[in-house]
């Protein structure tokens, strides 16, 4: 960069000059926030899910959903009537979702607040119990489960862009 002017060369060899470069990268690749429980990833191909593409997969199963946003609430409402049972656990009393959907969920499924997941138990292929902890009292409870759905938000990953040495001026 000479005199504050950048020289940009395209992959075809064209040269362009500019005083400013704006990178509009969004959030990059979106990844779900995963449970921070040792060895829990072994269940990701069987009974631990961070997304739902086919609700029929949960037919007649005992489902526990962890999360308090739109996706978790929508899953609970959709799975009511399909699954054997649906329990939603959330770390706060309030939810961050469309109020009418939250009210519908509270009328149709078991809602446990304020709780967090402390551990999962099962064999090598399948989760069969989830230990939850009450956020205020510290009391532990165990839930019987066939499938655990988790939606604790998402993380954007800009990949190699973070190593370019650029200043972020959001």
């Amino acid at each position: 960069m000479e005199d504050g002017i950048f020289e940009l060369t395209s992959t075809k060899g064209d040269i362009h000059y500019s005083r400013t470069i704006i990178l509009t990268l969004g959030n990059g690749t979106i990844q779900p926030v995963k449970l921070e429980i040792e060895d829990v990833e072994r269940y990701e191909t069987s009974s631990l899910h961070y997304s739902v593409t086919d609700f029929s997969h949960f037919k007649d199963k005992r489902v526990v959903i962890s999360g308090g946003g739109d996706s978790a609430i929508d899953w609970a409402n959709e799975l009511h009537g399909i699954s054997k049972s649906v329990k939603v656990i959330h770390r706060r009393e309030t939810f961050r979702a469309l109020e009418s959907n939250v009210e519908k969920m509270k009328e149709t499924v078991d809602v446990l607040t304020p709780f967090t997941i402390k551990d999962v138990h099962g064999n090598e292929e399948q989760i069969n119990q989830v230990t939850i902890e009450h956020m205020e009292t510290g009391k532990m409870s165990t839930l019987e489960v066939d499938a655990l759905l988790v939606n604790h938000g998402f993380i954007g990953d800009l990949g190699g862009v973070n190593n370019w040495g650029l200043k972020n001026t959001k």
Side-chain angles (χ1 to χ4, degrees):
M1 179 170 92
E2 190 174 306
D3 297 328
I5 298 175
F6 292 96
E7 180 179 298
L8 306 170
T9 306
S10 74
T11 56
K12 294 181 180 179
D14 299 328
I15 297 174
H16 304 275
Y17 300 95
S18 178
R19 291 190 184 276
T20 306
I21 300 173
I22 299 173
L23 301 175
T24 55
L25 303 171
N27 286 324
T29 303
I30 304 297
Q31 299 295 323
V33 175
K34 296 194 175 190
L35 289 176
E36 293 184 14
I37 296 173
E38 189 174 335
D39 294 329
V40 75
E41 58 278 344
R42 72 178 179 219
Y43 299 116
E44 289 179 5
T45 59
S46 62
S47 52
L48 172 60
H49 308 272
Y50 294 102
S51 66
V52 177
T53 56
D54 182 3
F55 289 101
S56 67
H57 177 74
F58 304 99
K59 182 173 176 44
D60 299 326
K61 293 188 178 180
R62 298 167 298 177
V63 177
V64 171
I65 300 171
S66 180
D70 285 305
S71 293
I73 296 349
D74 291 346
W75 295 343
N77 288 332
E78 189 69 33
L79 288 170
H80 171 72
I82 295 173
S83 299
K84 181 177 183 177
S85 68
V86 178
K87 294 181 185 341
V88 174
I89 64 168
H90 184 46
R91 64 185 175 180
R92 291 190 295 265
E93 297 289 339
T94 58
F95 293 86
R96 293 185 178 175
L98 187 63
E99 189 60 33
S100 61
N101 289 343
V102 172
E103 291 307 314
K104 179 181 176 184
M105 173 195 67
K106 287 180 177 180
E107 293 171 4
T108 58
V109 304
D110 293 329
V111 178
L112 306 170
T113 60
F115 284 91
T116 59
I117 295 177
K118 293 306 281 184
D119 206 356
V120 297
H121 313 279
N123 57 34
E124 288 304 311
E125 296 105 27
Q126 177 70 37
I127 297 172
N128 54 38
Q129 292 182 328
V130 175
T131 300
I132 60 174
E133 179 181 25
H134 193 275
M135 298 288 293
E136 296 166 0
T137 67
K139 182 180 177 190
M140 300 283 196
S141 302
T142 302
L143 304 174
E144 300 294 321
V145 63
D146 298 309
L148 174 60
L149 282 63
V150 176
N151 190 285
H152 294 170
F154 298 92
I155 299 170
D157 180 7
L158 294 175
V161 174
N162 292 327
N163 299 323
W164 290 359
L166 302 175
K167 180 181 173 186
N168 186 346
T169 60
K170 287 190 213 183

